[in-house]
Amino acid sequence: MRRSAFLWALLLVFVIADPILVQLNPVGNSGLVHKDDYEITRELHPEKVWDKVFFGASGVTAGYDEEASRSGYVNLGMDYGVITDLYDMVRRGTIRIGSELVIGTDFLCFYDDLDTISSYIWNKPWYEPYVFFQRLRISGLITSGTMNLLHGKPFAVNDFSAQEKSLYPGTVSQEEMQKKLARYEAEFWYLDSSAFDENLQALDDLLALCHEEGIRVRALWVPWNTDYEIPQIQYDVMERANAIYAEYGVEVLDLTTAFDPSYLHDLWHVNAESGRAHFMEVVDPWLCQD
């Protein structure tokens, strides 16, 4: 009987403690592990409600300079961010949007099987304890720390507390671009648009939710390097997404072919030297519009 009571008490502790651990995120906030882009954003914006949010993948991270912007949008650009990520964050209350949302995407932000960042907290199943969800980071930290100690170094040699999101300096070489194109062509160019169904449905559901909550939504297609042919699948996905945007009266800013290739680092990331500033020249006035 006592053993049963102890087990029930232990289970109750885990049930109560786990949401607190998720909220505090001691692993991600420790400064001892590499942070994901959501964690960086949350550290910069600990407030419960973000009035205006600019969501996207790394194309938004590369282009949108939150500190230079007059618009007041939180930069929620995230590596490998897809629409289901955004929908999960909003519907689960991971983020709360006050009044406005801008969705900035390339077509791969709608790809259902795109790789993700395993530490994004909405990837945690409800039944999985926080410590188990963070097991890869914890075990990696212990392994690297032990090796450091064995080599006479401090346990933690890296400080990630001031980590920032990645930018894209310069322009990739022709050789590197050809490698990228070969990989993208093999993985993505010949996909059928049905491979994007889940994210397109999430877009519809997200817009319906925003409509119910009175959140203004606008959308943006990030620039493409026009030195290279746009694959048909991009047009197909854009057509389907734009039809959903039109159904909800969402204003769309299409920058797909709007930038000179000199502003691009590769296919769809503006470079840090001139592309980022040009992106802000074009996009920030639009963001500031009532």
Side-chain angles (χ1 to χ4, degrees):
M1 186 70 176
R2 289 181 179 178
R3 180 178 298 177
S4 176
F6 172 77
L7 291 175
W8 278 108
L10 187 62
L11 177 62
L12 181 61
V13 169
F14 275 112
V15 169
I16 295 174
D18 200 64
I20 297 174
L21 288 174
V22 170
Q23 185 70 28
L24 296 177
N25 190 20
V27 175
N29 293 329
S30 67
L32 301 176
V33 299
H34 193 279
K35 299 176 185 178
D36 63 49
D37 284 339
Y38 171 73
E39 290 168 340
I40 294 173
T41 308
R42 177 54 74 184
E43 184 175 46
L44 292 172
H45 296 279
E47 56 269 21
K48 292 183 178 180
V49 178
W50 295 343
D51 185 43
K52 299 179 180 180
V53 173
F54 191 173
F55 169 84
S58 50
V60 167
T61 305
Y64 178 56
D65 186 346
E66 182 180 337
E67 291 186 1
S69 176
R70 297 178 293 107
S71 67
Y73 279 84
V74 170
N75 184 346
L76 193 55
M78 310 187 313
D79 276 351
Y80 296 100
V82 293
I83 299 300
T84 52
D85 290 326
L86 177 59
Y87 181 50
D88 283 344
M89 283 188 283
V90 173
R91 71 186 180 92
R92 295 179 182 180
T94 305
I95 65 171
R96 293 178 60 191
I97 302 172
S99 65
E100 298 191 26
L101 169 66
V102 169
I103 305 171
T105 59
D106 56 72
F107 81 101
L108 286 179
C109 295
F110 292 89
Y111 180 38
D112 296 340
D113 291 327
L114 192 69
D115 289 338
T116 187
I117 303 298
S118 61
S119 61
Y120 286 153
I121 195 62
W122 50 91
N123 289 329
K124 173 187 171 304
W126 66 268
Y127 53 82
E128 189 171 281
Y130 172 84
V131 173
F132 184 78
F133 176 71
Q134 296 284 4
R135 64 193 180 280
L136 295 179
R137 288 167 127 183
I138 294 171
S139 63
L141 176 61
I142 293 172
T143 300
S144 63
T146 302
M147 293 301 296
N148 289 337
L149 292 175
L150 291 174
H151 288 87
K153 300 177 181 179
F155 180 83
V157 297
N158 295 314
D159 181 6
F160 295 99
S161 57
Q163 180 187 332
E164 298 179 345
K165 296 182 183 181
S166 299
L167 300 181
Y168 298 83
T171 302
V172 300
S173 66
Q174 279 295 319
E175 180 181 4
E176 182 63 26
M177 183 65 86
Q178 291 306 318
K179 290 180 181 179
K180 284 177 176 279
L181 286 170
R183 180 167 65 85
Y184 293 156
E185 182 174 355
E187 291 186 32
F188 307 124
W189 277 197
Y190 296 105
L191 289 169
D192 184 85
S193 68
S194 61
F196 301 78
D197 285 351
E198 183 180 342
N199 274 276
L200 287 163
Q201 181 60 55
L203 177 65
D204 196 314
D205 295 337
L206 172 67
L207 296 180
L209 181 59
C210 289
H211 179 74
E212 291 175 6
E213 298 186 358
I215 297 170
R216 178 194 185 194
V217 181
R218 289 181 289 171
L220 177 152
W221 294 102
V222 299
W224 174 275
N225 189 330
T226 54
D227 277 344
Y228 303 93
E229 184 178 0
I230 298 174
Q232 182 59 43
I233 186 60
Q234 170 151 331
Y235 289 117
D236 294 344
V237 173
M238 289 179 67
E239 181 179 8
R240 292 183 63 188
N242 284 338
I244 297 171
Y245 286 138
E247 181 181 348
Y248 288 90
V250 173
E251 178 186 349
V252 179
L253 177 62
D254 186 358
L255 300 179
T256 306
T257 60
F259 281 27
D260 187 274
S262 63
Y263 290 121
L264 276 293
H265 167 79
D266 51 14
L267 278 182
W268 50 64
H269 298 103
V270 295
N271 61 50
E273 291 81 5
S274 60
R276 186 171 172 85
H278 185 63
F279 185 94
M280 291 300 294
E281 289 175 3
V282 173
V283 173
D284 209 49
W286 178 74
L287 291 176
C288 293
Q289 291 177 5
D290 293 331

